[in-house]
Amino acid sequence: MPVIVLVGAQWGDEGKGKATDLLGDRLDYVVKFNGGNNAGHTVVIEGEKYALHLLPSGILSPGVVPVIGNGVVIDLNVLFQEIDGLESRGIDTSRLRISANAHVIPSYNRSLDKVSERYLGARRIGTTGRGIGPTYADKMNRVGVRVQDLFDESILRQKVEAALSFKNQVLSKIYNRQAVKVDEVVNELLSYVERLRPYVGDTALELSEALDEGKVVLCEAGQATLLDVDHGTYPFVTSSNATAGGACTGSGIPPTRIDRVVAVLKAFTSRVGEGPFPTELHDKFGDHLREVGQEYGTTTGRPRRIGWLDLVMARYAQRINGVTDFVLTKLDNYDDLDEIPVCVAYEVNGVRHDEMPISQTDFHHAIPIFETMPGWKQSIMGARSFDDLPKEAQDFVVFVEERIRARISVVGVGPARDQVIERHSVLSGA
Ligand code: GDP
Ligand code: IMO
Ligand code: MG
């Protein structure tokens, strides 16, 4: 004990990577439990920028064992590219553990992801094109390929054959693509086997034993609450459970061992891809926040859509995840603004909603109701304690905290590791 789950409170890119890195030297294990290389976490350490997609952010902390849990989908080519990239910069990746039950993303699922998006046209999701959706669909359809299958060639061949017998029909007859050869897929996957072997194990057992020894484990979500396949803005979501419940199914750690749930909340909102976004900005404020916040996708380079902070969503995230502590990031991105509107409720067809509307149609029609806070018009990037913040910035934090049903324990005031204000310990609850 203890287990801490760390999730995103919005539509991703809240600064989860930096939050994990901040806690790094107090952790023994960091487990990625969902998603794959659709994630993109930028971590800045001593002026060096690291962009992680598949590896848990904990890999940058020397004392941490990073774990890729069973709930993750792995593109093996990306995995080894990322390992090689970090090794060439002097980061030791040898501690990495990978669940034998995690699924791999075969090349045909990347093709299917891209081609099906093109086919959807105006109804597309705006996926990252990494094969995430088709691979989770295979898992649920029970035609997926797992890491452990790579160690038994005949099983691997049978599984790829089973998947391709259907997928080749879809690729060739619906999408007019060339059928994929079983041999090519099997040989590509087998080419990784020897490099993969030392990392693979029963990670659920390893984590259970570590917890019995009193180790500290952080389960780090990819994506975020509103991108969760069950609790997000379906169908404009990813294909995994990015909320706190997913930490159990995606790692094998039981719910009774979880102590704290930390949600990372950006001081404004961003979204990549399609889907409804009540507080979205199409004006100079959106452009300004995109530029000062460098809001361009770490994975696809797409400009992120930007909107004001939405406390209806934050309260929803608190409720769905059982958040005990919030990490409020990028408060410094408001340094130049005269005033800061914050969405406190929605109006839908003349009716006020303090909670997320239950239907997708109502959410599409939600008009934000704002309260406006005064700006502070000075840089807060040097602040290291709450008292260092100007009164207006303190008032902003307290205003948000009073409306999201959990304390704000950490405030981010810049991208670097030390640009934070720690008000409470997220690990102990003190
Ligand atoms: P993640 O996917 O949730 O890990 O977030 P991303 O890494 O995709 O996006 C967050 C971006 O904000 C990264 O470039 C971080 O370096 C940066 N960042 C995180 N916290 C802060 C903060 O408090 N202030 C500023 N200015 N940047 C931050
Ligand atoms: P991190 O972990 C922001 C979005 C995509 C698309 C939808 C489905 O960095 O916060 P997918 O490829 O997963 O099938 O795409 O989800 N999306 C993200 N948006 N941050 C992410 O990860 C995302 N991962 C997926 O843009 O709208
Ligand atoms: Mg990101």
Side-chain angles (χ1 to χ4, degrees):
M1 292 281 207
V3 177
I4 303 108
V5 179
L6 185 133
V7 298
Q10 295 150 321
W11 278 296
D13 307 320
E14 297 89 351
K16 298 177 290 293
K18 182 188 158 180
T20 300
D21 183 60
L22 168 72
L23 301 173
D25 59 6
R26 289 165 255 177
L27 307 171
D28 298 304
Y29 287 76
V30 173
V31 189
K32 179 178 167 89
F33 61 83
N34 75 304
N37 59 313
N38 47 349
H41 309 299
T42 301
V43 181
V44 183
I45 305 171
E46 286 163 17
E48 289 263 323
K49 208 170 179 175
Y50 297 89
L52 297 167
H53 298 285
L54 185 52
L55 294 171
S57 309
I59 199 136
L60 300 172
S61 304
V64 163
V65 179
V67 179
I68 294 182
N70 57 279
V72 174
V73 291
I74 304 175
D75 183 323
L76 291 164
N77 185 35
V78 171
L79 175 74
F80 291 115
Q81 263 178 19
E82 214 162 89
I83 288 177
D84 291 344
L86 289 179
E87 288 284 342
S88 72
R89 294 173 74 179
I91 307 283
D92 174 20
T93 59
S94 62
R95 303 173 316 278
L96 177 68
R97 307 296 298 141
I98 299 176
S99 167
N101 288 345
H103 283 241
V104 300
I105 304 178
S107 55
Y108 48 80
N109 280 345
R110 279 196 302 281
S111 312
L112 278 166
D113 191 359
K114 290 188 188 129
V115 85
S116 62
E117 279 278 281
R118 231 172 290 148
Y119 213 71
L120 280 169
R123 283 172 292 132
R124 70 185 176 276
I125 309 295
T127 74
T128 58
R130 302 296 193 261
I132 306 295
T135 303
Y136 279 112
D138 284 359
K139 173 175 171 173
M140 293 305 173
N141 266 333
R142 293 155 294 185
V143 292
V145 178
R146 293 190 293 175
V147 164
Q148 58 178 285
D149 300 329
L150 271 60
F151 301 107
D152 183 332
E153 188 176 337
S154 90
I155 287 282
L156 176 66
R157 186 169 295 278
Q158 282 174 39
K159 298 217 164 171
V160 172
E161 269 169 8
L164 280 180
S165 65
F166 173 72
K167 280 171 193 273
N168 270 336
Q169 307 273 344
V170 176
L171 275 169
S172 59
K173 293 191 179 145
I174 297 177
Y175 296 123
N176 260 325
R177 304 277 136 168
Q178 275 195 336
V180 179
K181 293 194 174 63
V182 173
D183 272 348
E184 273 172 24
V185 176
V186 169
N187 290 341
E188 199 216 324
L189 293 175
L190 286 177
S191 72
Y192 300 109
V193 163
E194 289 319 314
R195 272 202 86 181
L196 194 58
R197 199 182 295 277
Y199 300 112
V200 178
D202 182 346
T203 51
L205 176 64
E206 290 170 24
L207 288 166
S208 174
E209 288 173 350
L211 288 170
D212 289 343
E213 287 168 21
K215 303 281 195 226
V216 182
V217 176
L218 181 114
C219 298
E220 177 197 57
Q223 294 75 56
T225 304
L226 277 297
L227 287 173
D228 182 283
V229 68
D230 283 276
H231 301 291
T233 47
Y234 191 90
F236 301 103
V237 293
T238 192
S239 301
S240 67
N241 286 115
T243 45
C248 295
T249 51
S251 70
I253 295 173
T256 43
R257 295 199 95 147
I258 292 176
D259 298 274
R260 306 205 61 80
V261 178
V262 179
V264 185
L265 177 71
K266 188 152 59 182
F268 52 96
T269 313
S270 71
R271 169 158 215 179
V272 198
E274 307 301 317
F277 187 168
T279 65
E280 184 166 16
L281 287 163
H282 297 284
D283 59 12
K284 63 175 187 184
F285 294 110
D287 294 341
H288 172 75
L289 288 170
R290 185 178 304 104
E291 289 318 310
V292 291
Q294 278 305 297
E295 292 287 346
Y296 294 90
T298 315
T299 299
T300 57
R302 290 179 286 182
R304 294 176 183 152
R305 298 161 62 194
I306 304 292
W308 296 121
L309 179 60
D310 183 338
L311 297 182
V312 183
M313 268 174 57
R315 275 197 298 275
Y316 177 72
Q318 193 286 329
R319 171 158 61 84
I320 291 290
N321 294 291
V323 175
T324 57
D325 301 77
F326 277 99
V327 174
L328 181 69
T329 59
K330 303 192 94 165
L331 190 63
D332 54 296
N333 288 167
Y334 281 144
D335 283 352
D336 296 329
L337 298 194
D338 294 320
E339 43 185 36
I340 306 162
V342 178
C343 169
V344 294
Y346 303 140
E347 188 191 308
V348 184
N349 300 325
V351 178
R352 182 184 167 110
H353 286 245
D354 289 291
E355 299 289 338
M356 287 285 282
I358 58 164
S359 86
Q360 189 193 347
T361 310
D362 282 356
F363 190 63
H364 268 273
H365 295 146
I367 298 165
I369 299 171
F370 289 111
E371 285 186 31
T372 299
M373 298 294 291
W376 40 93
K377 302 284 283 178
Q378 57 183 288
S379 173
I380 57 168
M381 293 180 90
R384 294 296 174 270
S385 77
F386 196 66
D387 292 340
D388 292 343
L389 289 175
K391 168 101 179 30
E392 294 82 357
Q394 291 184 0
D395 288 349
F396 182 89
V397 173
V398 172
F399 175 86
V400 173
E401 187 170 55
E402 282 172 353
R403 285 158 183 79
I404 56 178
R405 301 190 191 115
R407 61 192 198 172
I408 295 176
S409 296
V410 180
V411 179
V413 292
R417 194 180 242 178
D418 68 331
Q419 285 178 309
V420 287
I421 295 169
E422 287 198 68
R423 301 173 75 205
H424 310 285
S425 163
V426 303
L427 301 192
S428 70

